[in-house]
Amino acid sequence: MAVNSQQNTTYIVIGLAALATAAALYFAFSPKKSSDGTTDKSSSKDGGGSTITPVKSNVQAGGSSGSSTSTAATADNTSNASAAALPAASNKDDEEKQLNRRIEEIDRAGKALFKNKQYMEAAETFTEALDLIESKKLADKNSSKEDGGPKSSLTRQIITLTNNRSAMYEKASFPDLALSDCDAVLDLDPAHIKARTRRLRILESQKRHREALVEVCALQLKYMNDNRDKLRLGLPPTGPPPVPQSKIEELVSFILPEEIERAQKAMAANSVESRALPSSYTIIQLLKSFSGFNKWMGDAAKGGTVAKFTAQLEDLLEGVPRKSMVAFADNLATKAALLLNRGRRYAFEKDFGKAVKDFDEAYALVEDNDGSDESDHDEVKKAIVAAMGNDDYCRLLEWCGMCKHLRFDLKGALECYERCSKLEPENTEILVKRAGVKMDGSNYPEADTLFKEALALNPTASDALLHRANLRMLQQRVSESDSDLETCIRLYPNNLLARLRLATVCMAKEDLDGARKMLEKAEEYDPDSSEVHCYRGELHFAKGDFNEAKSEFEKAMECDTTNPTPYVNAALAVVNTPAAMGVMPDFAEAIRLLEKAIEVDPMFHAAYVQLGQMKLSMATDLSRAREVVELYDKGLEYCRTPEELRDICSMRILTVAQIDAAHALHMETLNMQ
């Protein structure tokens, strides 16, 4: 009966691999571990080669001395300048060759030291080579401005030597020096895979998990960027991703507790009274699940209008002195009873914000909050309760328990319900509501005990059977959930919620034919039910009939525009509908549907998760990507359960890491389309 679970509707949550997001795509492929040590022999762009190969300068390649002499013989005023330049160019070539030979010698020496596991000595040799290059750059800095030859060649050598020295520092257990060299390499070549892999490894060893996750995302983004043409065509990337899925999961699991604590502190800063309520649709669905729904709705309809109760409240005497305890208590009890009745009328009219306000005000009167510091406080409270009458007082406690539960004040809700149970020990509905609070607090054993107590008092209590079936599903006790629902339907054949949930159980057991029959029967009792069409759409989705699924979700929207579930599921049907080769799904429509789901129910956490993934993959620049972080922050404000917090916090962690990774790679977007 979890308040936040949309009556345990089975959400269709699937991996949106078609979006080609960094987080989603690595889950589709098996891992492949990279090797360690010094850079191997390669001429790759990222400086992966460990052998320094001299690169001929553009000065040398410009022509032979003979051609220059020939030109000098036929030129006029410029011939003298050309002839004068020849010795300088020749000297520069010789210097380049000597430098490259010396660097090769030092590099070979470093390799030999590495093989002998003399890591710091090897690092010193690489430093010697780097110092030579630095001296050359200082002596010849003006010539590198003339053309890119020497500068480009030296830069590649610096990258390779610095990367190799970083490997030596890591092997010698000097992680900070290794990190410094990694940073130097990445300043010159942000896409250098080996430097990023080493940086990831060291950051992990230092338990700097957030920074390590950024490196994981950077490696993945480069991999995807290298394969972007294939992704656009819907083809699989070349080779496995550079980091396995398990690494992301591990790093996120390390970061998650801190992120959840941060979100919880932000939520705790808000008072219970200021917390938002679930959508009207969610509240109505919850209230309908209890056996007393029709009775209180009937009483509220016949009891009088809001205007009637408002007029009676305005006619009450003001300023009755506290010292006249009987009159004072009677006045407050009368006002509390009128607020209770007006609150129920507001609930009948689905104006739950005003209903909760009236219930809270009535509860504060009965609790004598304004007189909490008075010496006669306890005596006055007893007098107010006595004047109000047992039934009105119990109903006020029940409604206040519900209001606190809706705002996820589990402790306050339980206190109200338990006080009500003491006054009405045989009220099975209160026992069921207490069990619901225990369920939302993940206290399943105590919830189970309360359900047993309720069914011992009344074996035909439909709400006890219905909500215990939910508990059984949470506990993965599917057959027992099936049994409770079958019993409920046998006792109450027209119980729509029981039939819908039994359809869910059938789907969980992969009994799609049984689910179809149950939904057909449910439709006979309520052909205009949004939930029936939504469940039927989910059944089509499970079969892979995405067009049929979308059609049913659209019917569900037409039946009740305030039901958020079909909007989310329709969005997922849109992105999973097969398209022609090279044609992407209609993400704009999917995003529109998800935004509509949040509009009708700001607490619908599944919409935040899916919308964030889509918007991140479609972001045209990093500022748009940062809007996804803001979206998740908004979703966190409405989280009610540990599961919801964990889901959105996980997505937020990954999103921030991907944005930081893109920035580190000098990428302007995460969009691979």
Side-chain angles (χ1 to χ4, degrees):
M1 70 164 280
V3 172
N4 42 65
S5 67
Q6 294 292 326
Q7 294 302 293
N8 291 315
T9 299
T10 302
Y11 302 138
I12 304 171
V13 180
I14 46 90
L16 301 177
L19 299 181
T21 60
L25 211 92
Y26 327 131
F27 301 165
F29 303 96
S30 59
K32 180 179 179 181
K33 295 186 177 179
S34 58
S35 60
D36 186 24
T38 60
T39 313
D40 58 7
K41 294 184 180 181
S42 171
S43 59
S44 66
K45 181 182 177 183
D46 64 10
S50 59
T51 300
I52 312 300
T53 303
V55 179
K56 290 184 179 180
S57 71
N58 291 339
V59 176
Q60 184 182 10
S64 68
S65 60
S67 63
S68 298
T69 303
S70 176
T71 303
T74 59
D76 48 13
N77 295 333
T78 60
S79 62
N80 292 332
S82 298
L86 273 172
S90 178
N91 289 338
K92 189 175 293 186
D93 289 346
D94 290 341
E95 290 175 6
E96 289 288 329
K97 290 177 181 178
Q98 289 175 9
L99 176 64
N100 288 328
R101 281 196 296 270
R102 180 58 183 149
I103 290 173
E104 280 187 300
E105 291 171 3
I106 296 172
D107 182 62
R108 284 194 294 270
K111 289 290 185 291
L113 290 167
F114 164 67
K115 290 180 180 178
N116 290 330
K117 298 184 179 181
Q118 295 174 274
Y119 302 125
M120 287 306 294
E121 290 82 354
E124 289 175 5
T125 62
F126 295 134
T127 300
E128 181 184 351
L130 287 166
D131 288 344
L132 283 175
I133 293 173
E134 185 63 27
S135 298
K136 172 63 177 174
K137 286 174 64 180
L138 289 173
D140 202 30
K141 62 180 179 180
N142 292 328
S143 66
S144 65
K145 295 178 181 177
E146 302 276 330
D147 59 69
K151 182 177 180 181
S152 175
S153 170
L154 292 177
T155 299
R156 288 196 294 273
Q157 290 173 334
I158 290 169
I159 290 172
T160 302
L161 288 165
T162 306
N163 182 58
N164 287 345
R165 186 174 67 177
S166 175
M168 296 305 97
Y169 284 146
E170 183 188 17
K171 290 288 188 182
S173 300
F174 286 93
D176 291 337
L177 291 175
L179 278 178
S180 179
D181 273 357
C182 286
D183 291 342
V185 170
L186 295 172
D187 283 343
L188 296 171
D189 182 5
H192 198 284
I193 292 177
K194 291 192 175 183
R196 288 213 175 273
T197 303
R198 182 173 298 109
R199 193 168 193 276
L200 163 62
R201 194 162 53 240
I202 296 171
L203 290 170
E204 269 196 284
S205 70
Q206 296 180 336
K207 302 188 184 304
R208 294 160 65 178
H209 301 120
R210 288 183 186 272
E211 296 170 80
L213 184 60
V214 172
E215 296 305 322
V216 169
C217 291
L219 290 167
Q220 185 66 6
L221 285 173
K222 182 185 184 303
Y223 165 78
M224 294 181 64
N225 196 49
D226 292 345
N227 286 277
R228 64 186 305 162
D229 291 337
K230 290 188 175 183
L231 293 172
R232 286 170 177 168
L233 297 173
L235 300 174
T238 301
V243 183
Q245 171 193 352
S246 58
K247 181 58 63 181
I248 282 188
E249 294 173 349
E250 180 184 10
L251 289 172
V252 170
S253 71
F254 287 135
I255 302 167
L256 197 55
E258 180 184 344
E259 193 76 5
I260 289 175
E261 183 180 2
R262 180 192 65 83
Q264 288 174 329
K265 285 181 178 178
M267 291 169 62
N270 299 323
S271 65
V272 172
E273 290 74 22
S274 67
R275 292 178 190 171
L277 291 168
S279 67
S280 294
Y281 181 86
T282 300
I283 296 173
I284 283 292
Q285 290 299 106
L286 177 63
L287 294 175
K288 281 182 177 179
S289 69
F290 298 109
S291 55
F293 177 77
N294 291 332
K295 182 181 184 305
W296 77 257
M297 284 284 284
D299 291 343
K302 295 181 292 184
T305 64
V306 167
K308 170 190 169 183
F309 294 123
T310 301
Q312 290 176 340
L313 284 164
E314 291 172 351
D315 289 341
L316 281 177
L317 289 174
E318 295 291 339
V320 177
R322 188 179 185 91
K323 62 183 180 180
S324 303
M325 184 176 295
V326 175
F328 180 76
D330 186 65
N331 182 266
L332 292 185
T334 301
K335 186 175 182 179
L338 288 171
L339 288 168
L340 170 64
N341 289 328
R342 190 173 71 175
R344 280 192 294 208
R345 180 68 193 198
Y346 277 133
F348 171 80
E349 295 175 0
K350 300 182 183 180
D351 193 342
F352 294 107
K354 291 180 179 178
V356 169
K357 185 177 179 181
D358 274 358
F359 295 140
D360 283 346
E361 186 178 348
Y363 187 67
L365 290 172
V366 174
E367 290 293 289
D368 189 32
N369 285 357
D370 290 342
S372 59
D373 295 331
E374 300 290 340
S375 60
D376 60 352
H377 173 61
D378 291 338
E379 190 177 358
V380 168
K381 277 180 62 176
K382 291 178 182 178
I384 295 170
V385 170
M388 190 175 188
N390 190 70
D391 186 62
D392 276 353
Y393 179 59
C394 285
R395 299 292 70 74
L396 177 60
L397 288 172
E398 185 175 6
W399 275 106
C400 286
M402 177 60 67
C403 294
K404 291 178 185 296
H405 192 180
L406 290 171
R407 290 175 294 192
F408 218 69
D409 176 12
L410 301 185
K411 182 179 178 181
L414 202 56
E415 180 184 344
C416 287
Y417 286 145
E418 287 175 346
R419 285 164 65 181
C420 190
S421 273
K422 287 180 180 179
L423 296 170
E424 297 180 339
E426 295 188 1
N427 187 329
T428 58
E429 187 170 332
I430 299 299
L431 291 170
V432 172
K433 289 176 178 176
R434 285 170 59 190
V437 177
K438 295 290 187 182
M439 286 171 63
D440 277 351
S442 300
N443 192 339
Y444 297 159
E446 289 190 23
D448 200 11
T449 298
L450 287 165
F451 284 131
K452 289 177 181 177
E453 187 177 340
L455 288 167
L457 289 168
N458 180 8
T460 66
S462 61
D463 45 7
L465 291 166
L466 184 66
H467 290 292
R468 190 172 70 170
N470 289 350
L471 175 62
R472 298 287 189 256
M473 288 296 288
L474 290 172
Q475 295 173 314
Q476 303 296 313
R477 296 157 65 179
V478 178
S479 61
E480 292 174 70
S481 176
D482 190 323
S483 176
D484 277 347
L485 292 169
E486 290 281 7
T487 301
C488 188
I489 291 170
R490 186 172 63 253
L491 294 169
Y492 308 98
N494 62 343
N495 191 312
L496 183 67
L497 289 176
R499 291 190 178 277
L500 291 174
R501 294 187 187 178
L502 188 53
T504 302
V505 172
C506 289
M507 283 191 274
K509 296 191 298 183
E510 298 184 355
D511 179 9
L512 300 187
D513 187 57
R516 177 185 59 78
K517 291 177 180 178
M518 193 54 57
L519 291 175
E520 288 174 354
K521 201 67 177 177
E523 189 173 22
E524 291 179 12
Y525 291 105
D526 190 352
D528 297 322
S529 168
S530 175
E531 290 293 309
V532 170
H533 289 295
C534 196
Y535 276 68
R536 183 174 284 130
E538 292 172 10
L539 184 59
H540 286 301
F541 196 105
K543 295 178 179 178
D545 299 332
F546 300 118
N547 287 323
E548 289 294 327
K550 186 170 180 291
S551 177
E552 287 294 338
F553 296 142
E554 288 170 348
K555 291 177 183 177
M557 297 175 209
E558 293 171 5
C559 290
D560 193 329
T561 58
T562 66
N563 182 358
T565 305
Y567 294 103
V568 173
N569 288 348
L572 297 178
V574 167
V575 298
N576 280 276
T577 300
M581 178 67 74
V583 178
M584 300 301 295
D586 190 352
F587 292 123
E589 172 63 7
I591 287 174
R592 184 192 70 80
L593 289 164
L594 291 168
E595 288 176 338
K596 183 65 177 178
I598 292 174
E599 178 187 329
V600 300
D601 186 355
M603 291 188 178
F604 202 70
H605 108 284
Y608 289 100
V609 172
Q610 299 296 337
L611 180 60
Q613 291 182 57
M614 288 193 198
K615 283 198 166 186
L616 186 64
S617 69
M618 303 300 290
T620 54
D621 54 55
L622 294 186
S623 64
R624 292 282 186 182
R626 291 186 185 95
E627 291 176 3
V628 176
V629 179
E630 296 174 6
L631 174 72
Y632 288 142
D633 285 338
K634 178 184 175 184
L636 286 172
E637 293 176 8
Y638 296 110
C639 284
R640 290 296 180 268
T641 68
E643 291 76 19
E644 290 179 354
L645 271 176
R646 185 166 55 250
D647 285 348
I648 296 185
C649 281
S650 296
M651 297 309 301
R652 187 185 187 281
I653 290 167
L654 281 170
T655 301
V656 170
Q658 288 180 74
I659 292 171
D660 289 346
H663 181 75
L665 290 169
H666 301 169
M667 293 172 60
E668 296 181 356
T669 179
L670 295 170
N671 188 348
M672 296 295 167
Q673 306 309 319

